Amino acid sequence: MSSHKPVVVVVDAQTPGNVGTIARAMKNFGLSDLKLVDPPPLDPGGEAYGFAGHAREDVLPNAEEVSFEDVVATYHTVGCTAITGEDSRRHRRFPYTTPAELADSLQTVDSRTAIVFGREGRGLYNEEIEQLDEICSIPASDDYPVLNLGQAATTVLYELRDLTVDETQLPDREHERAAEDDIERFYDYFGTFLDAQRYNDRKREKTQRLMRRLIGRAHPTGREIHTLLGALRRATEQLNHRQELLDQYDEPDRFGDETAGDGDTEQTGDDA
């Protein structure tokens, strides 16, 4: 991984709010070095600082105004654009990488890199693009691929987060898979559950195999597999109890022969 975090360069932004939005995205994703080429006025009481969030405390006030030529001469440059060449015959905007591909590429390069964003609406000019080292473009709908400047910067910086953020607010998603004997016990009890519901014998083997594949892909934790096992046990007990009740109702009346006629009444009348 590069020892240098990328710098962010915004060329000729027309709206102070977009500069503030980009500064905020930089703060979100662990970047602090903002370079501005021909920026609009950034009034501390104005739109840029209003949109910057906590980046108003460091990223935005420390932004440096530079020339485009200085950026090209100092950094390995990556120009961001929504418009790309259609094939290899057009070299200004081709070849290009997606932000995710750019992140993979920069993982293996130790260089001072500048991520360069252009103007709202018009982006980077062709003569500017020609001076940059790489082109990056965000995959978007062919019907409307042009993103707002702040949105584009946020998307690109998000994809670069593995290069710039050491730790996020999210908890560790790694977990320990349940012990294999516990998982096997679940599979065995799943068979018992199928028995309790009188499952179709012709489909049983396939169903058990599907359950094994499903659990195998899920990598359940010990707590998860024990919870599932507990639910299966309860369902099995209820099914067995229900079947016991049904079996009782299906038994022949043990007293039927002994009590036959007990309810008959003596016939009286003219025919007695």
Side-chain angles (χ1 to χ4, degrees):
M1 182 186 299
S2 173
S3 58
H4 305 286
K5 289 187 178 182
V7 304
V8 175
V9 179
V10 184
V11 177
D12 195 18
Q14 307 298 301
T15 306
N18 273 327
V19 177
T21 299
I22 292 173
R24 178 171 185 155
M26 292 174 62
K27 184 82 170 180
N28 288 143
F29 301 115
L31 294 169
S32 59
D33 197 349
L34 175 61
K35 310 292 185 186
L36 302 174
V37 176
D38 298 326
L42 302 179
D43 183 355
E47 191 177 70
Y49 279 78
F51 285 12
H54 287 288
R56 72 170 68 91
E57 301 168 2
D58 46 19
V59 178
L60 201 51
N62 292 326
E64 179 186 6
E65 186 169 350
V66 297
S67 70
F68 188 84
E69 291 72 23
D70 286 341
V71 172
V72 171
T74 305
Y75 299 97
H76 169 75
T77 51
V78 180
C80 298
T81 178
I83 308 302
T84 62
E86 296 177 356
D87 55 41
S88 59
R89 293 172 296 179
R90 304 174 64 182
H91 298 290
R92 284 196 183 107
R93 300 171 185 263
F94 190 98
Y96 58 88
T97 62
T98 66
E101 292 168 340
L102 176 64
D104 289 340
S105 172
L106 293 181
Q107 284 274 11
T108 60
V109 176
D110 191 8
S111 67
R112 300 178 67 191
T113 299
I115 311 300
V116 184
F117 298 95
R119 305 155 187 83
E120 301 93 330
R122 304 185 67 180
L124 294 166
Y125 297 144
N126 281 341
E127 54 268 27
E128 294 166 339
I129 286 284
E130 290 173 349
Q131 299 179 63
L132 303 181
D133 299 310
E134 292 189 66
I135 300 301
C136 179
S137 187
I138 299 170
S141 170
D142 186 52
D143 292 335
Y144 191 41
V146 180
L147 278 71
N148 169 276
L149 176 58
Q151 292 174 324
T154 301
T155 301
V156 172
L157 300 185
Y158 166 77
E159 291 289 357
L160 299 181
R161 68 194 181 282
D162 286 344
L163 304 175
T164 60
V165 177
D166 295 326
E167 185 176 352
T168 73
Q169 87 283 10
L170 300 179
D172 189 355
R173 291 191 298 179
E174 293 184 3
H175 67 263
E176 185 175 348
R177 178 181 164 93
E180 290 306 316
D181 56 345
D182 288 338
I183 295 177
E184 287 299 323
R185 187 160 59 251
F186 170 82
Y187 294 145
D188 290 342
Y189 211 88
F190 182 65
T192 304
F193 170 70
L194 296 180
D195 289 339
Q197 59 171 296
R198 308 295 194 268
Y199 198 77
N200 188 323
D201 287 338
R202 291 183 296 105
K203 298 181 179 179
R204 180 190 179 100
E205 183 178 350
K206 180 179 180 180
T207 300
Q208 288 185 282
R209 185 168 61 251
L210 289 175
M211 177 60 75
R212 182 176 286 272
R213 296 291 182 265
L214 175 63
I215 296 297
R217 293 197 306 272
H219 301 298
T221 64
R223 180 176 182 180
E224 288 169 339
I225 206 69
H226 281 105
T227 299
L228 290 174
L229 187 55
L232 270 187
R233 282 175 174 159
R234 182 170 179 80
T236 301
E237 289 169 0
Q238 291 174 339
L239 285 170
N240 286 334
H241 179 65
R242 177 176 178 272
Q243 191 60 46
E244 289 173 3
L245 293 176
L246 290 175
D247 290 344
Q248 289 179 11
Y249 285 125
D250 288 342
E251 289 182 0
D253 188 350
R254 292 178 300 165
F255 306 102
D257 293 338
E258 300 173 8
T259 59
D262 287 353
D264 295 340
T265 57
E266 185 178 351
Q267 295 286 335
T268 59
D270 295 341
D271 295 331

